[in-house]
Amino acid sequence: MGEFRILEIKQSVFADNDKRADDLRKELKEKKVFLLNLMSSPGSGKTTTLTRTIEELKDKLRIGVMEADIDSDVDAQTISKLGVKAIQLHTGGMCHLDADMTAQGLEGLETGDVDLAILENVGNLVCPAEFDTGAVKNAMILSVPEGHDKPLKYPLMFSICDVVLINKIDVLPYFDFDMEACIKNVRMRNPNAKIIPICARTGEGIEEWIKWLEQEVKEWKS
């Protein structure tokens, strides 16, 4: 048997990405642009929540949106109709965005006239959690139909998020979803995460989410 070396590629890739993410945050701070990374699984109501958020904030903040997806431009078309800047990012089959890809997206978005940039990340609970995008804050959406055990099954996603939105609370009577258990499971992974139950469709709980986001943008810009 010949000699061979084992290279820990994964570690170096993450290390390089973390440095790029830190550099990107410094650039955003200098430009006074707040970048929010919004994550969730497909069907959780991510675009609906984003639409509701834009409607509440577009008269107060200059908003730009980057819609990341493996293919299609459906989400970007939806968001652009709301009167804010929007671009579609195709990942070429990749299930996540890293810091360099996010930086390219921000360049395409042209953030000179943007206060709040929102990255709607690729829909899944695994890959997006592994890569620091350079965002100022991470938010994720867990919908009631997904179940209250998801924080146990996808620990990394919940551990890196600053805020967890529990969406579709209007259907709580129809699903075996234990809100108390869900909150306990999130706290087990991330004691500091802010947890906000919402219904993006009806608007319930959205006010608390908007207040949190407004305050975070204000503090970042100051």
Side-chain angles (χ1 to χ4, degrees), residues 25-215:
R25 266 186 291 273
K26 292 176 183 177
E27 295 170 15
L28 291 168
K29 183 67 173 178
E30 292 174 359
K31 296 177 181 178
K32 295 187 176 182
V33 176
F34 184 97
L35 174 60
L36 176 73
N37 180 26
L38 183 61
M39 299 173 286
S40 78
S41 61
S44 67
K46 193 158 69 267
T47 303
T48 304
T49 301
L50 179 54
T51 297
R52 178 75 69 167
T53 301
I54 291 170
E55 290 173 345
E56 294 290 332
L57 288 175
K58 66 180 182 180
D59 293 332
K60 303 176 183 179
L61 297 170
R62 299 171 298 175
I63 301 173
V65 178
M66 297 179 288
E67 290 287 351
D69 214 334
I70 293 175
D71 203 354
S72 90
D73 59 358
V74 174
D75 290 340
Q77 288 187 32
T78 300
I79 297 302
S80 64
K81 293 176 183 177
L82 299 174
V84 298
K85 296 176 68 173
I87 62 171
Q88 186 75 49
L89 306 179
H90 286 164
T91 63
M94 298 184 69
C95 59
H96 68 275
L97 263 71
D98 59 22
D100 191 56
M101 296 162 71
T102 302
Q104 293 178 53
L106 288 167
E107 184 177 348
L109 188 62
E110 298 178 349
T111 57
D113 59 350
V114 170
D115 300 308
L116 170 61
I118 302 175
L119 169 63
E120 183 175 346
N121 215 316
V122 180
N124 75 82
L125 296 181
V126 181
C127 304
E130 296 180 337
F131 290 84
D132 189 342
T133 61
V136 181
K137 295 292 181 179
N138 291 316
M140 72 89 54
I141 301 172
L142 171 67
S143 66
V144 166
E146 293 175 78
H148 57 261
D149 60 346
K150 290 301 176 288
L152 304 179
K153 293 185 176 182
Y154 302 95
L156 182 59
M157 172 60 74
F158 289 86
S159 67
I160 66 162
C161 285
D162 300 284
V163 58
V164 175
L165 304 177
I166 303 178
N167 191 26
K168 302 186 181 181
I169 58 174
D170 56 326
V171 298
L172 274 170
Y174 309 105
F175 287 87
D176 184 19
F177 185 95
D178 188 329
M179 181 66 73
E180 185 176 342
C182 182
I183 292 174
K184 180 181 179 181
N185 292 338
V186 173
R187 293 278 181 241
M188 185 187 306
R189 300 304 186 189
N190 187 349
N192 299 317
K194 185 172 183 61
I195 302 171
I196 308 175
I198 67 167
C199 177
R201 186 179 65 85
T202 65
E204 185 177 356
I206 292 295
E207 182 179 359
E208 184 179 357
W209 155 241
I210 294 300
K211 285 182 178 179
W212 178 87
L213 186 53
E214 277 187 299
Q215 183 61 34

Side-chain angles (χ1 to χ4, degrees), residues 5-16:
R5 294 185 301 159
I6 298 176
L7 303 180
E8 295 292 343
I9 299 295
K10 186 176 181 180
Q11 183 177 358
S12 66
V13 167
F14 284 136
D16 289 344

